[in-house]
Amino acid sequence: MKEIYSARQIAGRVRELGEKITEDYRGRELLAVCILKGAFIFFADLVRCINTELKIDFVRLSSYGSHADSSGSILITRDIETDIRNKNILLVEDIVDTGLSLSYLSRYLQKKGASEVRICALVDKRERRKTSIRVNYPGFTLQKGFLVGYGLDIAEKYRNLPEICEVDPDKEIKAINQETPYDC
Ligand code: IMP
Ligand code: MG
């Protein structure tokens, strides 16, 4: 496991993102929406760095596919509770990969009447992008690699690491499968 972004680097970048978002939304209503589960730590840190009035809500998405690939077939398993008509929404995501989840969710929120949907993602991973989605507030930009920690997981592992590390997803899945208890 190799460290890619230290806890200190992340904290510094989150502070910068918060300052930029504060400037951009000053005097405008803001609804910050956390995409569960991966963004939960980033979201909690980010909203504390935004110094303007805001409300929060949560959505949860599921994507059918293997542990390391999203299939593009996306399901909202926890919908937003706020009435979003005419609201300025800031979607807060852990990492953008193909962009399919965010592109689906932005379209969904726009159809429900949001007046604007912007995206803040801690990591903007470029290599496998399949949509033209724009990340308005990217934390870090990366070409490729599978990351865990600071909310990010592989098969639900490592979300509690304070830093972000790169792992080999195939090796991790193999190890996790070997750990599974079996009947004897
Ligand atoms: P997309 O629809 O392909 O952009 O998928 C984005 C989602 O896939 C993220 O919200 C994560 O849940 C997951 N994901 C993509 N890349 C990684 C990674 O490197 N580590 C952990 N999760 C990832
Ligand atoms: Mg996610």
Side-chain angles (χ1 to χ4, degrees):
M1 189 178 284
K2 182 178 152 211
E3 182 177 290
I4 304 291
Y5 309 116
S6 69
R8 202 194 158 113
Q9 258 177 304
I10 297 169
R13 189 65 191 119
V14 171
R15 223 174 297 120
E16 288 171 359
L17 287 170
E19 281 165 15
K20 178 82 179 97
I21 292 165
T22 302
E23 251 173 58
D24 291 359
Y25 284 90
R26 191 160 279 129
R28 304 173 72 209
E29 247 185 89
L30 168 61
L31 176 67
V33 175
C34 173
I35 305 179
L36 297 169
K37 300 177 188 170
F40 81 110
I41 296 178
F42 174 43
F43 186 77
D45 286 344
L46 181 71
V47 292
R48 283 179 289 178
C49 294
I50 301 175
N51 186 18
T52 179
E53 209 180 298
L54 60 77
K55 291 187 176 143
I56 64 161
D57 207 334
F58 299 86
V59 288
R60 181 152 180 225
L61 303 181
S62 269
S63 145
Y64 295 105
S66 71
H67 292 294
D69 295 290
S70 98
S71 63
S73 177
I74 291 133
L75 199 68
I76 297 175
T77 55
R78 192 226 181 253
D79 205 344
I80 205 156
E81 289 177 345
T82 316
D83 178 359
I84 59 167
R85 278 171 297 176
N86 307 315
K87 294 275 162 41
N88 301 315
I89 295 181
L90 179 67
L91 286 176
V92 180
E93 175 65 306
D94 52 359
I95 184 165
V96 188
D97 187 13
T98 63
L100 291 167
S101 320
L102 274 174
S103 137
Y104 174 84
L105 184 60
S106 317
R107 262 184 286 127
Y108 174 78
L109 297 173
Q110 256 145 4
K111 260 194 225 149
K112 279 186 106 176
S115 61
E116 184 191 77
V117 180
R118 290 191 196 177
I119 294 167
C120 175
L122 183 62
V123 182
D124 184 0
K125 187 161 78 174
R126 312 307 292 270
E127 195 184 58
R128 304 201 299 180
R129 193 62 44 86
K130 287 187 184 151
T131 61
S132 56
I133 193 124
R134 171 160 178 250
V135 180
N136 307 84
Y137 303 98
F140 302 103
T141 302
L142 183 82
Q143 253 329 97
K144 57 181 177 183
F146 198 87
L147 305 182
V148 296
Y150 196 69
L152 291 153
D153 75 308
I154 181 144
E156 298 299 326
K157 251 179 121 174
Y158 305 125
R159 290 196 196 272
N160 56 324
L161 294 179
E163 62 281 325
I164 293 182
C165 299
E166 183 177 0
V167 292
D168 176 338
D170 296 334
K171 265 196 204 153
E172 289 292 329
I173 295 301
K174 230 187 213 168
I176 288 163
N177 288 338
Q178 276 163 4
E179 276 169 20
T180 310
Y182 55 90
D183 293 327
C184 27

